[in-house]
Amino acid sequence: MKANSKIIMDNYKTRKIEYYSLVKKNYREHNTPTPFTEVATLLKSINSLSRQKRIYDLKSDKYCLLDSFALCKDNENDNVFIVSGMLKSAISNFRPKLINRRTAIERDNPKEKAEGEIECTHFCIKIYNTEDYKDVIILFERNANGVSINNFINYLNNFNKILTQKKGQKVKYAINHCIIAREDIEDAITNLARTKVAELHVDKKILGSDALDFSNRIHSAQRDIVITVKAERKTSISDIALDALQSLKVANTKITRMRVWGETDDKQNILIDTSLFCKKTEIKCELNPETGEVSTAKILSQMKNIINEL
């Protein structure tokens, strides 16, 4: 019974899934980055290229390419899209001999120096592109031997430049990502070197309250309205963010969600989102018994289930 249990466990592997927000920043404007809602269009254009033209050189002899891409609409909202895909990477110019684990016998490696063992990295993206709300959230598989999120961002920027210049146009922005923090959220805000923007999602009833004294005829407004608080240049609004966080913990609060943009001491962009704070970060993936690779269909199915709940 124990032997069978071990065999079953060996057919699965735990993968860590990281949460990010995809943004773009205009080169000539000193404003807050905006959601990169064009990511699906860009990936579709890249996917239309031949496989050879999709290859992008990473550091040393490592290279990658977009291997698969799928786009579908959300079941409940035509302006919300789900993108899923896989990147493949490999390292060339490395062809050592092979050694058998059972017999210790060595033999020549049959692969060519231009070939490399494939590593797969999966991702799933949710794009909110409504008139009143825009956001792009990406779940990215962490694979130390595969493609990193920074590699992926460089890949997007590279092909965005190539495809834009092919149209005779200039690239006006850079694509980037923000980390969606998963640690204790209060500590995450406190540890930011600078808190730049706090986005408060507030119950629409506040429009008709004594605070704003708007008309009470608010039934046509969305359930939540968004109040954005921005810091003055070189200042921080961490105290405001922490006060809002305390309000979230109070019963009958008017604040339903908060998103905070800030940066670390080394200028790394951070996005802290209370709605994602408690989400899973690890999933168990089925392995191909012949190759030992993670099943693409199974891992993407689980990633879609997670992102559909966001």
Side-chain angles (χ1 to χ4, degrees):
M1 189 70 176
K2 289 183 179 180
N4 289 338
S5 176
K6 184 179 186 304
I7 291 172
I8 292 173
M9 290 300 294
D10 286 345
N11 287 335
Y12 290 85
K13 191 169 187 177
T14 299
R15 287 291 198 195
K16 183 172 286 187
I17 304 300
E18 298 178 329
Y19 293 74
Y20 299 96
S21 178
L22 288 183
V23 298
K24 65 179 182 179
K25 182 75 166 60
N26 289 337
Y27 288 126
R28 296 186 179 181
E29 297 180 17
H30 301 288
N31 56 3
T32 304
T34 57
F36 182 49
T37 54
E38 302 93 333
V39 62
T41 302
L42 176 56
L43 287 170
K44 187 176 181 179
S45 297
I46 296 172
N47 197 54
S48 67
L49 301 173
S50 67
R51 284 180 62 84
Q52 187 177 9
K53 290 185 177 180
R54 280 183 250 162
I55 292 177
Y56 174 68
D57 290 325
L58 302 172
K59 61 182 180 180
S60 302
D61 296 312
K62 190 171 183 178
Y63 52 95
C64 71
L65 77 156
L66 177 67
D67 181 74
S68 63
F69 162 82
L71 172 67
C72 64
K73 288 185 178 181
D74 183 79
N75 293 332
E76 299 179 359
N77 193 325
D78 287 342
N79 292 313
V80 177
F81 301 89
I82 305 295
V83 175
S84 59
M86 176 177 64
L87 299 156
K88 285 184 176 179
S89 60
I91 298 176
S92 60
N93 294 322
F94 186 67
R95 194 169 63 93
K97 286 188 174 183
L98 304 177
I99 184 170
N100 191 299
R101 181 180 180 180
R102 294 190 301 271
T103 64
I105 295 175
E106 297 183 18
R107 67 184 178 95
D108 290 336
N109 196 324
K111 76 173 187 177
E112 298 178 5
K113 286 192 71 176
E115 297 176 319
E117 286 80 11
I118 293 173
E119 286 285 347
C120 299
T121 306
H122 304 85
F123 62 88
C124 194
I125 304 171
K126 191 167 190 176
I127 305 167
Y128 297 87
N129 197 19
T130 67
E131 186 175 339
D132 301 312
Y133 184 71
K134 298 181 187 299
D135 197 6
V136 180
I137 297 170
I138 177 170
L139 302 187
F140 201 83
E141 179 188 4
R142 184 173 183 177
N143 181 354
N145 298 317
V147 177
S148 69
I149 185 66
N150 287 323
N151 293 153
F152 182 58
I153 295 301
N154 291 338
Y155 187 87
L156 293 178
N157 276 308
N158 175 74
F159 281 98
N160 188 45
K161 181 178 180 180
I162 291 172
L163 294 167
T164 302
Q165 290 179 342
K166 193 175 180 180
K167 299 176 185 176
Q169 302 172 0
K170 290 185 178 180
V171 178
K172 298 180 179 179
Y173 57 83
I175 303 163
N176 210 331
H177 70 288
C178 292
I179 297 169
I180 298 179
R182 295 181 299 277
E183 62 218 64
D184 182 87
I185 194 164
E186 189 167 343
D187 288 342
I189 294 173
T190 303
N191 291 334
L192 289 175
R194 180 172 175 239
T195 303
K196 298 187 287 186
V197 179
E199 181 184 275
L200 308 179
H201 292 238
V202 183
D203 192 310
K204 67 181 181 181
K205 291 179 182 178
I206 196 174
L207 291 174
S209 69
D210 292 338
L212 296 178
D213 198 25
F214 280 27
S215 167
N216 282 316
R217 295 191 293 272
I218 57 174
H219 56 84
S220 59
Q222 290 192 337
R223 184 174 63 87
D224 287 353
I225 60 173
V226 179
I227 298 174
T228 303
V229 184
K230 296 184 178 181
E232 294 285 353
R233 187 176 179 84
K234 295 184 179 180
T235 64
S236 177
I237 55 169
S238 58
D239 289 342
I240 294 175
L242 290 170
D243 287 344
L245 182 62
Q246 294 305 314
S247 295
L248 274 169
K249 300 176 182 179
V250 177
N252 301 318
T253 180
K254 294 294 188 293
I255 301 174
T256 59
R257 177 187 179 191
M258 180 175 68
R259 286 153 56 89
V260 173
W261 282 267
E263 61 185 22
T264 60
D265 289 321
D266 59 358
K267 303 300 181 183
Q268 169 69 58
N269 291 323
I270 299 285
L271 170 61
I272 300 171
D273 190 332
T274 57
S275 70
L276 297 174
F277 176 63
C278 295
K279 294 296 180 182
K280 296 177 182 178
T281 57
E282 291 187 347
I283 56 177
K284 187 178 289 186
C285 308
E286 187 174 341
L287 300 179
N288 183 315
E290 296 297 324
T291 66
E293 296 175 294
V294 169
S295 167
T296 291
K298 296 294 177 63
I299 189 172
L300 286 180
S301 175
Q302 292 188 67
M303 292 174 78
K304 286 178 185 177
N305 289 339
I306 294 172
I307 211 163
N308 278 327
E309 295 176 0
L310 302 182

